[in-house]
Amino acid sequence: ELDEAKTQFLSITSHELRTPITPIKTQLQLLLRGFYGDLNERQIKSLRMIERNTDRLNRLLGDLLEISRIQSGRLKLNITKQNLKEVIEETVDFMRPSADEKKISIETRLDDVPDIEIDRDRIIQVLQNLISNAIKFTPSGGRVDISLKKYGDGAIISVKDTGVGMSREIREKVFEPFFQADDWKSRKIGGTGLGLTICKGIIEAHGGRIWCESEPGKGSVFHIILPPKPGREIKLSQDEEIRERIKTFFEERS
Ligand SMILES: Nc1ncnc2c1ncn2[C@@H]1O[C@H](COP(=O)(O)OP(=O)(O)OP(=O)(O)O)[C@@H](O)[C@H]1O
Ligand SMILES: [Mg+2]
């Protein structure tokens, strides 16, 4: 009950706090376009700073709203049949400039997999966060590898980087709201620690799974498994079933 009150509070406040942002942005645009007269360099610089921070606030409130939807089970998916390979390629094209800027290469190995039913925009949102994390936590000169493979009648997507990696302690908490590794890196780099919480909510709403493997200094890899359609259990072939059992056997022992 307390949880429900909390979720409702979160939902109402983030919504209410978001409303005044629209007129703020409109006025900013008018000022910046010289609608109220010419501006000098310092005024423009100041307005740009207000604009950047307004956008940040808007993003943060959007994330909070999304989390409250996830927690209350009100996340509505807009499901359509999609070619995952195309969805990933489009997302990678969109992210490439920020990787180029940091001299990080993005390589893809995308198999042809049967179309599956997903909320396209939300899966793109998940991929964007995973790829932006991979870029953010990888030093210049590193690389990000994205793969897509068949997994039973569903699919498995992996985003691998050569970055800073994570200790077991960190790894266990990355999907919790507001969690960020407590070193100077994440703080200097920014963000709010809501990205992976939202990713997990979206993937689980699809009936899928998301998890990561990582070691400090050895990079990280995030895996996503998606069923052929939300809520449908994945049917594995006999080979895959055996491989899966062997993997679980070793994982339980490590
Ligand atoms: N690829 C990665 N390599 C190393 N650490 C990572 C990686 N991805 C996530 N992390 C750790 O997990 C934390 C949480 O990630 P998450 O995406 O939820 O938040 P964020 O990127 O810090 O902020 P936001 O996504 O809300 O802008 C990060 O701050 C970082 O400490
Ligand atoms: Mg993130």
Side-chain angles (χ1 to χ4, degrees):
E1 212 169 283
L2 185 65
D3 253 11
E4 199 173 307
K6 218 172 69 188
T7 305
Q8 209 172 12
F9 175 77
L10 191 66
S11 154
I12 293 167
T13 41
S14 44
H15 189 81
E16 289 302 317
L17 290 171
R18 232 182 164 190
T19 313
I21 291 182
T22 312
I24 293 175
K25 287 220 55 161
T26 312
Q27 289 305 316
L28 268 171
Q29 289 311 322
L30 291 172
L31 275 165
L32 278 165
R33 288 198 192 130
F35 194 79
Y36 300 128
D38 288 343
L39 302 172
N40 65 37
E41 199 112 328
R42 282 174 67 193
Q43 289 168 326
I44 293 175
K45 222 172 138 189
S46 160
L47 286 175
R48 291 253 179 254
M49 191 202 252
I50 297 174
E51 191 185 30
R52 272 197 306 281
N53 283 285
T54 311
D55 287 342
R56 220 176 116 195
L57 184 62
N58 200 24
R59 251 195 323 273
L60 175 59
L61 290 171
D63 282 356
L64 285 174
L65 207 56
E66 193 84 331
I67 298 238
S68 78
R69 280 194 204 107
I70 290 167
Q71 288 186 344
S72 62
R74 278 184 298 116
L75 189 75
K76 283 201 190 67
L77 298 179
N78 175 20
I79 300 294
T80 51
K81 217 174 188 131
Q82 294 290 331
N83 180 320
L84 265 184
K85 190 172 171 176
E86 280 170 21
V87 171
I88 296 173
E89 272 164 354
E90 190 187 308
T91 315
V92 170
D93 286 344
F94 178 77
M95 300 299 290
R96 212 177 275 286
S98 58
D100 289 346
E101 206 177 306
K102 221 183 141 183
K103 303 256 174 318
I104 290 172
S105 66
I106 304 188
E107 311 288 336
T108 54
R109 259 188 79 171
L110 310 175
D111 291 354
D112 284 310
V113 306
D115 288 1
I116 66 169
E117 294 183 34
I118 53 168
D119 183 324
R120 188 173 194 277
D121 291 342
R122 287 224 151 82
I123 293 300
I124 289 178
Q125 189 185 343
V126 170
L127 293 170
Q128 278 180 3
N129 185 52
L130 293 184
I131 299 170
S132 87
N133 282 351
I135 295 169
K136 192 154 66 161
F137 299 106
T138 299
S140 279
R143 99 182 231 168
V144 176
D145 282 283
I146 300 160
S147 71
L148 166 67
K149 288 195 208 94
K150 224 162 79 78
Y151 182 80
D153 51 356
I156 178 163
I157 304 168
S158 306
V159 178
K160 184 169 179 271
D161 65 56
T162 59
V164 296
M166 292 174 269
S167 66
R168 189 200 182 115
E169 244 184 312
I170 293 175
R171 218 167 47 221
E172 279 167 359
K173 296 200 190 112
V174 287
F175 295 103
E176 288 173 14
F178 297 108
F179 176 81
Q180 298 189 291
D182 199 18
D183 55 14
W184 59 274
K185 283 186 196 89
S186 2
R187 286 178 199 282
K188 209 172 98 185
I189 298 167
T192 41
L194 291 175
L196 287 174
T197 314
I198 294 172
C199 288
K200 189 165 192 266
I202 291 174
I203 296 301
E204 287 177 352
H206 280 82
R209 275 204 294 145
I210 180 168
W211 75 100
C212 68
E213 291 160 14
S214 178
E215 264 180 71
K218 294 201 174 148
S220 310
V221 48
F222 282 81
H223 303 284
I224 298 170
I225 288 183
L226 284 168
K229 77 195 268 180
R232 169 86 63 81
E233 222 170 287
I234 294 173
K235 284 195 215 75
L236 295 178
S237 68
Q238 213 165 22
D239 279 5
E240 285 169 324
E241 187 100 44
I242 293 167
R243 241 181 292 150
E244 203 53 28
R245 261 190 246 143
I246 297 174
K247 225 180 93 204
T248 329
F249 177 85
F250 284 109
E251 270 167 8
E252 277 165 4
R253 255 140 264 252
S254 73

